Amino acid sequence: MANITTDPYNGLQFVELSHEWDQRAPSYPGQADVRMIRGVKHSQHGVLAWRTTTVMHTGTHMNAPIHLIQKGADLAAISPDRFFGNGAVLDVPKTNWEVITAADLEKAKPEIKEGDIVVIVTGWHHKYSDGLEYYGEAPGLSKDAAEWLVARNPKMVAIDTPHVDHPLATSMGPHRGGPQMKRLADEYTKATGLDPKVEHPDWNVAHKILLGAGIPTIEQVGGDVDLVKGKRVTLAATPGSSSTATRARYGWWRCSIRRVPAASSRATRPSRRRKDQDMSLKVYDLSHTFPSSCRSGLPARA
């Protein structure tokens, strides 16, 4: 990719941080593939509109607390100011099966400030594919790493891996709902000599700590994130990248490299305004609540 869009009037540079999303997007083991067909055609009606069937947990996507926390906030209940602000893109190189610890985050650059949007780049986004390695051997956050992040009160935490946690701490391995990848535990033991039930005894422990603290998360960061790793930037959650859809998926995200005053909007909840503390920007919501994706199937508000 390696694309930077520069505003000709103020020099603000925009970088895409999400994987392209369409019917070719890889899907998690145990979940259905994305399906897109032309619901209305130019040849028939002079209009093109796509009919899409998908699990929203595909590609670069955002998780609200309700994803893992019973009665937690859904996306419609999260203030729009969490989706825009200054942040740190941490360079934390990791390889197969490794764990991201609090010590790794402590020494990573740049320094995290309270209220930042935090992006963790391990390099795993280069392996993004429908593959055993990508989903099963990815690095992931440890419990102490999640606790370390919560103590710094971030607006949001994002990572370039398919899971916030290590795969063996998810349903990919021998936990509830799993194993979705039946050979994974044995392969882990062969490669590392470790027992997954000893090393990763708790199910989604890091992700639950973050969401339990009310911190939304982003999984599968990608795009041109290498251009900004190790930098402080301004980040915004915007509709995701799709090559075929005529309407954008509710997803993630882009960043700007140079800080300048600018307006921003985010589709999350009706008519609410917030001020970003660092940049003194007003953040507005300009969309209706979308029940099926934003509220995890709950009834829409009256």
Side-chain angles (χ1 to χ4, degrees), residues 6 24 43 48 74-75 96 116 128 180 197 201 277:
T6 302
R24 298 167 296 179
S43 60
L48 176 63
D74 55 28
L75 289 180
N96 302 52
D116 270 348
Y128 181 69
Q180 294 296 332
K197 293 183 178 180
Q277 294 179 349

Side-chain angles (χ1 to χ4, degrees), residues 64-276:
I66 199 172
H67 176 51
L68 287 173
I69 305 300
Q70 188 175 10
K71 298 184 180 180
D74 55 28
L75 289 180
I78 297 172
S79 179
D81 66 318
R82 279 195 178 268
F83 304 121
F84 182 87
N86 293 321
V89 185
L90 305 183
D91 186 10
V92 188
K94 290 289 179 179
T95 187
N96 302 52
W97 307 116
E98 291 189 328
V99 175
I100 303 160
T101 65
D104 292 325
L105 300 178
E106 184 73 53
K107 67 184 181 183
K109 301 297 180 183
E111 181 183 357
I112 296 173
K113 299 179 181 179
E114 183 175 359
D116 270 348
I117 295 174
V118 178
V119 186
I120 301 166
V121 182
T122 67
W124 202 255
H125 60 286
H126 292 293
K127 297 179 182 289
Y128 181 69
S129 64
D130 175 25
L132 295 170
E133 182 185 26
Y134 177 70
Y135 285 108
E137 300 181 20
L141 292 181
S142 64
K143 179 180 179 181
D144 74 330
E147 293 169 338
W148 186 93
L149 287 164
V150 169
R152 280 143 185 85
N153 191 31
K155 283 186 175 181
M156 188 183 308
V157 173
I159 192 166
D160 69 340
T161 57
H163 326 278
V164 168
D165 286 83
H166 191 282
L168 269 304
T170 74
S171 299
M172 299 300 104
H175 283 285
R176 67 176 72 178
Q180 294 296 332
M181 304 180 75
K182 299 188 184 302
R183 294 172 292 174
L184 189 61
D186 288 342
E187 292 297 324
Y188 173 78
T189 299
K190 290 177 184 177
T192 66
L194 302 173
D195 183 345
K197 293 183 178 180
V198 173
E199 300 299 319
H200 306 285
D202 300 316
W203 179 72
N204 280 307
V205 60
H207 208 171
K208 291 180 71 175
I209 287 171
L210 293 171
L211 295 179
I215 301 167
T217 61
I218 304 291
E219 291 168 310
Q220 302 192 106
V221 170
D224 295 318
V225 69
D226 286 338
L227 296 177
V228 293
K229 66 182 179 183
K231 300 180 183 291
R232 290 196 58 80
V233 297
T234 300
L235 296 139
T238 61
S241 177
S242 175
S243 64
T244 56
T246 56
R247 296 291 185 271
R249 185 175 72 100
Y250 190 90
W252 184 248
W253 76 332
R254 291 163 177 82
C255 76
S256 56
I257 297 175
R258 193 178 124 236
R259 291 178 56 194
V260 298
S264 176
S265 64
R266 177 57 184 161
T268 50
R269 62 191 306 188
S271 302
R272 177 165 293 198
R273 188 181 74 186
R274 291 287 185 271
K275 181 179 287 187
D276 183 277

